[in-house]
Amino acid sequence: MKLYNTLTHKVEEFVPMQQGKVGIYSCGPTVYSHPHIGNFRSFLVADLLKRFFEFKGFSVTHIMNITDVGHLVDDADEGADKLEETARKQKKDPLEIAKFYTESFMQASKLLNIKPSDKYPKATEHISEMIDMVKKLIDKGYAYVVGHNVYYDVMKFANYGQLSGNTLEDVNAGARIEINQEKKNPQDFALWKHDPKHLQQWDSPWGRGFPGWHIECSAMSSKYLGAEFDIHTGGEDNIFPHHECEIAQSEAASGKKFVHYWLHTRFLLFDGEKMSKSKGNLYTIPELIEKGVRKNAIRYALISSHYRQNYNFTFDGLKAAEQAIDKMQQCVLQLKDIQKSSKAGEICQQIKDLSSNCLAQFDEALSDDLNISKALAVCFDFIREVNKAEDMNLSEASALLETISKIDSVLGVLESTDEEVPENIIELAEKRKTAKLNKDWKTADAVRAEISAQGWLLEDTPGGGYRIKRGENT
Ligand code: AMP
Ligand code: ZN
């Protein structure tokens, strides 16, 4: 399997630290407002990656943090703490704000069928781990104390800038005019900050204060995945300064290589601009669902373009996603009908080849740095071939269904069609069938409406049969 590694700027063969296992850390949400679909594009890339590793038989440990303190407005050391700002505006406790928006993130993740991470560590619950790491950095000479603040001395870390491609001169040139007089170098960053007005504060060897944003991810990733692990993900804006600083902290503290592969998702755009909370040009998952968009179409649209290309969000894109899912869903329903109406038998070579070629090509496409467009093309070629196949028996239909299910274990877009249809709905469907045979259209329509009112959708199939699934007739 090949992945593009931001650190080396190359597509590389993925070699796990431990055979058959992979550890992934993803920068999670800063919980000061509802997450938008741009955030979810990054989270879904992590989900796709994780699902694909599982498809390939890996055992995955996935950690996604929750940032509930320390993320300042400018991503570095300036401006208000994002969480505090919301807390002050809403006149609430920061932890109450964090709880509310963490819940919002969890609910939207569930709607998008994102597999839960093994753990969602919260920054505010790992302050002692952060303090320990800061102490270590001071002891080793990488950090210095000024009054009640602690800063990281980037001049001490030779590889600072390797991930982002920024040289120290670049960073200096970009530094703010009002340079913090306490710092030895303008590009040094805060590990621990003192601010008597900050709403969330903890005791530390340097006095009361709160942690810098970057130290949170260094401390939490090493606690749950070890000081050295396989993959770290995030959106492209995390590369600098966040991930550059994480590397400097973690490698200086442990003396080990921190992360083997860095994966960054390019921005989701809206009208050509980055979708962001600060610009306010955003959509949340509940907002789109409220507009009648199907949740699996949102998922499909957000995963359907390559993670290293921008994705320009449009409603036409969501419509196309709905149509694509319908094609897959229709194929599944037809195969289920065949399962019901035919007998078991030999699986012919053509069906066997169709399945195994599809799975091999799907694997090959995603193994090429998650080439999702190619993987989806393989999936739809397969569906076209399945739709052409004739005189299938139960065993063949089951084999093809299993292939679709394996593909969907990665894509995660199909709705479950396994819900048991209640007896009374089947009786109504039979009543309608009889009415139709008797050309009693009035009764047939009334019964169909009754079925729909109970939340079920009746579809006629060729040959006078029917199919029942969840949903209402429109
Ligand atoms: P935040 O809640 O701001 O900490 O962001 C959570 C994650 O979403 C981070 O990994 C960001 O890099 C990512 N992100 C933010 N905006 C976008 C966007 N428009 N497209 C893709 N990823 C984004
Ligand atoms: Zn992070």
Side-chain angles (χ1 to χ4, degrees):
M1 172 168 183
K2 290 192 168 72
L3 290 174
Y4 179 84
N5 190 351
T6 312
L7 188 67
T8 56
H9 317 292
K10 280 199 300 252
V11 175
E12 293 177 358
E13 189 61 40
F14 174 74
V15 183
M17 286 177 64
Q18 255 183 296
Q19 184 86 25
K21 291 193 175 156
V22 56
I24 305 176
Y25 183 89
S26 299
C27 282
T30 306
V31 283
Y32 70 107
S33 67
H34 295 293
H36 56 74
I37 53 174
N39 301 129
F40 274 107
R41 181 174 198 226
S42 287
F43 303 147
L44 279 164
V45 166
D47 186 58
L48 186 73
L49 181 71
K50 169 181 172 175
R51 284 167 173 264
F52 183 54
F53 272 117
E54 286 174 352
F55 171 93
K56 286 177 91 65
F58 279 81
S59 153
V60 183
T61 307
H62 185 210
I63 307 297
M64 180 178 276
N65 73 295
I66 303 286
T67 299
D68 53 1
V69 66
H71 190 172
L72 306 190
V73 167
D74 80 338
D75 272 8
D77 290 343
E78 304 297 329
D81 185 315
K82 295 184 179 194
L83 228 107
E84 288 232 342
E85 217 173 35
T86 309
R88 287 187 200 276
K89 262 189 216 148
Q90 297 189 15
K91 297 193 171 47
K92 288 192 177 132
D93 186 85
L95 283 184
E96 209 181 321
I97 296 293
K99 191 164 179 263
F100 178 78
Y101 290 112
T102 302
E103 192 49 39
S104 156
F105 159 74
M106 292 295 178
Q107 277 171 10
S109 299
K110 205 165 167 203
L111 287 169
L112 291 183
N113 198 16
I114 291 181
K115 283 192 155 191
S117 295
D118 293 276
K119 204 156 180 64
Y120 293 96
K122 296 187 180 112
T124 51
E125 291 174 4
H126 294 79
I127 302 293
S128 67
E129 287 85 346
M130 295 174 208
I131 290 176
D132 285 349
M133 195 175 248
V134 176
K135 274 194 215 156
K136 203 179 258 177
L137 289 171
I138 295 172
D139 290 348
K140 287 186 154 194
Y142 287 95
Y144 55 95
V145 185
V146 183
H148 299 296
N149 294 320
V150 186
Y151 296 102
Y152 189 100
D153 185 348
V154 295
M155 297 301 262
K156 297 272 167 65
F157 189 72
N159 288 339
Y160 192 78
Q162 193 188 348
L163 181 77
S164 56
N166 282 323
T167 60
L168 279 179
E169 289 75 41
D170 293 338
V171 182
N172 272 338
R176 265 146 246 289
I177 305 159
E178 58 302 2
I179 289 166
N180 179 340
Q181 296 296 333
E182 288 187 353
K183 293 183 182 179
K184 286 191 192 166
N185 317 287
Q187 67 278 8
D188 291 351
F189 57 91
L191 298 171
W192 188 262
K193 281 182 89 117
H194 172 69
D195 174 1
K197 292 201 281 307
H198 202 272
L199 296 173
Q200 301 191 90
Q201 302 203 36
W202 293 265
D203 286 329
S204 82
W206 319 286
R208 280 182 77 69
F210 65 97
W213 174 36
H214 318 310
I215 197 75
E216 301 177 0
C217 286
S218 282
M220 292 188 281
S221 61
S222 73
K223 174 160 183 181
Y224 296 105
L225 292 170
E228 182 173 357
F229 60 90
D230 296 298
I231 302 178
H232 195 315
T233 76
E236 62 175 308
D237 55 344
N238 286 157
I239 298 174
F240 190 86
H242 189 46
H243 291 164
E244 192 74 72
C245 297
E246 275 187 49
I247 296 176
Q249 296 162 156
S250 297
E251 298 198 347
S254 72
K256 292 180 181 166
K257 187 175 179 71
F258 175 39
V259 169
H260 290 210
Y261 302 86
W262 286 89
L263 223 88
H264 292 101
T265 303
R266 296 290 297 273
F267 290 140
L268 177 138
L269 309 177
F270 185 57
D271 281 343
E273 269 198 277
K274 177 195 175 192
M275 182 172 282
S276 72
K277 293 172 196 171
S278 55
K279 288 204 189 87
N281 59 345
L282 52 84
Y283 281 107
T284 65
I285 309 303
E287 269 168 5
L288 290 178
I289 290 175
E290 181 80 4
K291 284 181 180 294
V293 181
R294 276 156 33 196
K295 56 189 183 179
N296 50 354
I298 307 173
R299 179 181 168 99
Y300 186 102
L302 295 184
I303 61 168
S304 62
S305 63
H306 193 250
Y307 75 96
R308 280 196 292 121
Q309 283 167 2
N310 286 125
Y311 173 71
N312 198 34
F313 170 77
T314 61
F315 281 88
D316 282 347
L318 287 177
K319 229 178 236 128
E322 284 188 351
Q323 285 162 0
I325 295 169
D326 283 347
K327 251 189 228 166
M328 287 172 79
Q329 204 88 47
Q330 201 60 32
C331 180
V332 167
L333 289 172
Q334 264 158 23
L335 289 169
K336 288 200 167 176
D337 280 348
I338 294 170
Q339 275 185 320
K340 278 183 217 142
S341 60
S342 67
K343 291 203 174 67
E346 282 275 305
I347 301 178
C348 76
Q349 196 56 40
Q350 191 201 350
I351 299 280
K352 281 184 191 161
D353 291 347
L354 192 59
S355 277
S356 60
N357 289 341
C358 167
L359 289 174
Q361 286 168 15
F362 184 77
D363 187 344
E364 196 187 330
L366 288 177
S367 294
D368 179 16
D369 191 29
L370 297 181
N371 188 340
I372 187 73
S373 318
K374 191 138 176 236
L376 289 172
V378 168
C379 170
F380 286 102
D381 282 348
F382 171 76
I383 283 172
R384 206 171 306 118
E385 290 304 313
V386 172
N387 290 341
K388 275 198 250 165
E390 283 169 0
D391 297 330
M392 232 184 266
N393 63 38
L394 183 149
S395 314
E396 290 169 333
S398 302
L400 293 171
L401 274 170
E402 206 179 301
T403 302
I404 296 181
S405 154
K406 279 186 188 149
I407 287 176
D408 195 54
S409 71
V410 181
L411 302 180
V413 294
L414 288 179
E415 280 152 24
S416 163
T417 51
D418 294 334
E419 191 177 357
E420 202 60 34
V421 182
E423 267 310 300
N424 70 315
I425 299 291
I426 295 173
E427 274 169 26
L428 284 169
E430 284 297 319
K431 191 170 160 192
R432 178 169 171 273
K433 192 174 166 186
T434 313
K436 267 178 68 186
L437 280 175
N438 295 335
K439 299 202 178 350
D440 177 0
W441 309 119
K442 211 172 146 199
T443 306
D445 284 350
V447 174
R448 189 189 174 96
E450 169 64 20
I451 291 172
S452 172
Q454 295 198 37
W456 293 88
L457 178 68
L458 194 69
E459 282 178 356
D460 294 319
T461 55
Y466 57 82
R467 179 186 298 136
I468 309 170
K469 60 180 188 182
R470 263 285 175 212
E472 285 172 33
N473 291 301
T474 47

